[in-house]
Amino acid sequence: MIEKISVLSGQDKEGKAEGYQQIDIYAGEIVAVVGATGSGKTRLISDIEQYAFGETPTKRKILINNLSASEYYELNNQRQFVGQVTQNMNFVMDVKVGDFLTMHAESRGMYNARSIIKKVLEAANNLAGEPFDEEDDLTSLSGGQSRALMIADVALISDVGIVLMDEIENAGIDRIKAFNLLTSKGKISITSTHDPLMALMANRRIVMSGGGIKSVLWTNETERSWLSQMLLYDKKLQKLRDIIRKGGQIP
Amino acid sequence: MKVVIITGTSASGKTSLMYKVIKLLLSEAVKVAVCKIDCLNTTDDEKYAELGIPVAVGLSDYICPDHYYVSNLEEIFDWAKGFSSQVLVIETAGLCNRCAPAIDGCLNICVLDNLSGVDTPSKVGPLLTTADVAVITKGDIVSQAEREVFRHRLSIVNTKAIILNANGLTGQGAIKLKNIILNWPDIDGLEHRTLKSSMPAAVCSYCTGEKLIGSKYQMGNIRKEIFWGRQHD
């Protein structure tokens, strides 16, 4: 069981030491990573994904329950504890959606594949616009459908302790539903984002600049009250978007 | 000297990854020599030469590159020894997958990429089953699920290998591979050592330059396909 992960400071793009010692992120926490394009958000996510131990360009170290990844492996005999959804990912397997999910469920040692596939498809369709089913070819799914399926699959089949997301607001899917699906109880969720809504839905946010971690901000009360207003605006905007998408005119 | 043998499918990222690994070895003042075996042409030697280390190229031309590799191993070993190298890296061509260049006592590394499809681990045969380390590349561009399925299938085909995720572009995995190399035992030579998998003979008329098609031009070790299923009416 992953109780916490720690990010130990490294260096920024110019080789300057980062101005913090250690950031501890506990199970159940949602952390956003914010900053301009090129500020180092993706690097930070990838450091965590590969359990960096000083060998990446940032020289950061990642600890799991105060152990290095290899020590953690040995103790728990568990290798796969990070799941990831990024902008660069594609489906390359030439199979039907249903067969693909069966394959994944079996590789995870789940043998009640039928019921889990149903759940994944339901969740994915709930995120994407145009519906799809298990008979569709995996590689013919649209960008939004693919992303929706990846998210539902990571949430329900991979079922890992740490979920890493990379700007899922750009996926063309219902980002708030996606966010809620991936940030279920007990997981550590880390998401890089340019979206103020996503950033404020997190407990705190890591601010990147010049390749390094600049600061860590907790979401305060003022921000939280802003968040509830923003969610209302977002709902209205979503309605308008749907009308336009479906070929209607705004009354 | 430690002998590292790199195999894997074509364009799986063998050279990019080894470039990063050798760079790390050099930064610890370890002496490395590289020999690249290929068929007709290669530019990998130029890439390795950027590191300022001894690089040799063996082009097998009209001979199977794996057979060519085996019949030149002692010479390659002596060549590297001549530079008092501590690590000899031999990168093979990685073509038909029927043969595997793995040698008992050497560190045998097989590099496969996620893009090649989840059936690859079961298709590459001895290339993977004889590996001490199986490296998986290009994980950053496929879905989490495909990564997991690929790794799972690989672990079924070779239950003993250390499995590493790596990225030749960012250097992910390179430090781990470097440490595995440094901890691998030295060997005195390659003579009398054995290939982990046999290499089939290929001595038919086409091996010796025949170009005409038809049974009457076929001599030597010929094997004919047996067709199953319904024939045309």
Side-chain angles (χ1 to χ4, degrees), chain A residues 226-239:
Chain A
W226 268 105
L227 175 64
S228 43
Q229 286 188 57
M230 282 156 72
L231 283 168
L232 284 176
Y233 292 137
D234 190 65
K235 251 193 188 144
K236 281 183 192 162
L237 197 60
Q238 185 71 40
K239 263 188 195 146

Side-chain angles (χ1 to χ4, degrees), chain A residues 49-50 55 79-80 82-84 86 88-93 100 103-104 106-108 150 153-154 158, chain B residues 114-115 117-118 139-149 151-153 163 170-173 175-176:
Chain A
E49 193 260 328
Q50 56 187 280
E55 77 274 30
R79 294 205 152 261
Q80 206 89 53
V82 171
Q84 198 178 16
T86 77
N88 297 331
M89 284 178 167
N90 290 293
F91 285 126
V92 295
M93 227 187 264
F100 163 75
M103 231 183 259
H104 187 203
E106 280 173 3
S107 84
R108 276 273 172 184
M150 279 179 206
D153 173 86
V154 165
S158 291
Chain B
N114 269 302
L115 282 183
V118 290
D140 53 333
I141 45 184
V142 301
S143 67
Q144 176 75 30
E146 284 160 306
R147 285 184 197 173
E148 290 175 14
V149 173
R151 188 185 175 111
H152 172 71
R153 295 205 165 174
I163 304 177
T170 62
Q172 178 198 2
I175 218 168
K176 288 185 185 127

Side-chain angles (χ1 to χ4, degrees), chain B residues 20-32:
Chain B
K20 289 266 172 24
V21 172
I22 293 170
K23 221 171 171 179
L24 289 169
L25 286 168
L26 296 175
S27 73
E28 295 187 20
V30 177
K31 287 187 156 180
V32 187

Side-chain angles (χ1 to χ4, degrees), chain A residues 194-241:
Chain A
H194 290 293
D195 185 335
L197 254 180
M198 311 292 273
L200 295 185
M201 280 168 80
N203 311 63
R204 50 180 163 158
R205 53 189 187 271
I206 296 174
V207 184
M208 305 299 301
S209 170
I213 293 176
K214 200 176 144 205
S215 57
V216 182
L217 301 174
W218 290 90
T219 308
N220 63 27
E221 276 315 309
T222 320
E223 286 170 336
R224 256 191 218 116
S225 62
W226 268 105
L227 175 64
S228 43
Q229 286 188 57
M230 282 156 72
L231 283 168
L232 284 176
Y233 292 137
D234 190 65
K235 251 193 188 144
K236 281 183 192 162
L237 197 60
Q238 185 71 40
K239 263 188 195 146
L240 298 177
R241 188 182 292 135

Side-chain angles (χ1 to χ4, degrees), chain A residues 69-216:
Chain A
S70 49
E71 290 167 333
Y72 183 84
Y73 288 158
E74 268 172 41
L75 223 64
N76 295 276
N77 196 22
Q78 177 202 8
R79 294 205 152 261
Q80 206 89 53
F81 43 83
V82 171
Q84 198 178 16
V85 183
T86 77
Q87 308 174 75
N88 297 331
M89 284 178 167
N90 290 293
F91 285 126
V92 295
M93 227 187 264
D94 190 15
V95 291
K96 296 205 182 302
V97 170
D99 295 338
F100 163 75
L101 292 173
T102 309
M103 231 183 259
H104 187 203
E106 280 173 3
S107 84
R108 276 273 172 184
M110 299 174 169
Y111 292 100
N112 53 343
R114 288 282 352 137
S115 67
I116 191 90
I117 289 170
K118 236 183 115 193
K119 274 190 205 150
V120 174
L121 278 170
E122 251 174 51
N125 275 307
N126 191 24
L127 301 176
E130 287 288 309
F132 63 98
D133 64 36
E134 55 186 294
E135 286 303 312
D136 284 309
D137 287 325
L138 190 60
T139 49
S140 69
L141 299 182
S142 74
Q145 288 171 328
S146 298
R147 213 60 59 188
L149 183 58
M150 279 179 206
I151 288 167
D153 173 86
V154 165
L156 299 168
I157 298 186
S158 291
D159 193 25
V160 285
I162 305 169
V163 176
L164 304 173
M165 294 165 268
D166 184 16
E167 298 179 22
I168 53 170
E169 66 264 23
N170 294 335
I173 53 171
D174 189 325
R175 67 202 198 289
I176 296 181
K177 279 187 197 158
F179 192 77
N180 287 334
L181 186 63
L182 284 172
T183 55
S184 62
K185 271 208 172 107
K187 279 184 188 171
I188 291 175
S189 306
I190 302 172
T191 176
S192 75
T193 186
H194 290 293
D195 185 335
L197 254 180
M198 311 292 273
L200 295 185
M201 280 168 80
N203 311 63
R204 50 180 163 158
R205 53 189 187 271
I206 296 174
V207 184
M208 305 299 301
S209 170
I213 293 176
K214 200 176 144 205
S215 57
V216 182

